[in-house]
C-alpha cells in the first residue's frame, strides 16, 4: 500500500506565500508524474501544476508565474510554493502521483486526502 500525505494548508492573507508539501510512503518502486490539483467550493477539481520525473513542469494559466512545483525524487516528495495568493486560490489542494509498487510494475494513480487553503482578502 502507498499513500500521499499533504501538509501546509491553512488560513492565509491575500498576497501570502505558503508552501504545500506532500510525501509518498509505502512499498514504492518508482514514481512517475507528481501533481497538485485543487477544488474550490462548487467547482470541479482542476490541475494546478505537474512535474515529471525528469523535471519538466506544466502549470494552469491561472497560477503561472505565481506558483512553483518541485520534487525531491530521493525523498519521494513534491512541494508547491504559492506566491501572491488571491482569494480565488481558496480551495482544497490535493496531491496526486502515479506510483509503481514493489509488487507490481504497473503505475497506479494515488491521491492525498487534501489540505484546505483559505485566502482572506
Amino acid at each position: 500500500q502507498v499513500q500521499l500525505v499533504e501538509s501546509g494548508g491553512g488560513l492565509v492573507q491575500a498576497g501570502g506565500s505558503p508552501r504545500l508539501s506532500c510525501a509518498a510512503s509505502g512499498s514504492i518502486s518508482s514514481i512517475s508524474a507528481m501533481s497538485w490539483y485543487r477544488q474550490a467550493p462548487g467547482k470541479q477539481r482542476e490541475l494546478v501544476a505537474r512535474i515529471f520525473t525528469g523535471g519538466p513542469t506544466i502549470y494552469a494559466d491561472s497560477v503561472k508565474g505565481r506558483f512553483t512545483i518541485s520534487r525531491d525524487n530521493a525523498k519521494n516528495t513534491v512541494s508547491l510554493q504559492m506566491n501572491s495568493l488571491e482569494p480565488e486560490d481558496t480551495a482544497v489542494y490535493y496531491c496526486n502521483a502515479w506510483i509503481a509498487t514493489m509488487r507490481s510494475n504497473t503505475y497506479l494513480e494515488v491521491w492525498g486526502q487534501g489540505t484546505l487553503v483559505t485566502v482572506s482578502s
Side-chain angles (χ1 to χ4, degrees):
Q1 293 284 9
V2 296
Q3 63 176 350
L4 298 174
V5 178
E6 301 107 332
S7 60
L11 178 63
V12 183
Q13 286 190 333
S17 299
R19 183 180 182 89
L20 303 182
S21 297
C22 172
S25 62
S27 184
I28 297 170
S29 174
S30 64
I31 302 177
S32 181
M34 303 186 82
S35 307
W36 288 95
Y37 286 75
R38 69 184 180 186
Q39 186 166 19
K43 294 187 177 181
Q44 290 188 333
R45 190 173 299 188
E46 63 174 356
L47 176 67
V48 175
R50 175 171 294 150
I51 185 167
F52 297 91
T53 305
T57 58
I58 57 174
Y59 293 93
D61 288 342
S62 59
V63 306
K64 280 182 181 177
R66 299 189 299 124
F67 291 10
T68 301
I69 189 171
S70 60
R71 65 189 286 173
D72 185 328
N73 292 326
K75 296 181 179 179
N76 292 332
T77 61
V78 62
S79 298
L80 185 68
Q81 177 65 48
M82 303 187 289
N83 298 324
S84 303
L85 279 183
E86 305 165 352
E88 292 73 23
D89 294 314
T90 294
V92 177
Y93 285 73
Y94 296 91
C95 179
N96 170 282
W98 288 85
I99 300 175
T101 67
M102 296 296 187
R103 294 184 61 183
S104 171
N105 287 327
T106 301
Y107 283 89
L108 298 177
E109 188 174 28
V110 182
W111 290 90
Q113 81 284 358
T115 184
L116 176 63
V117 175
T118 303
V119 184
S120 63
S121 58

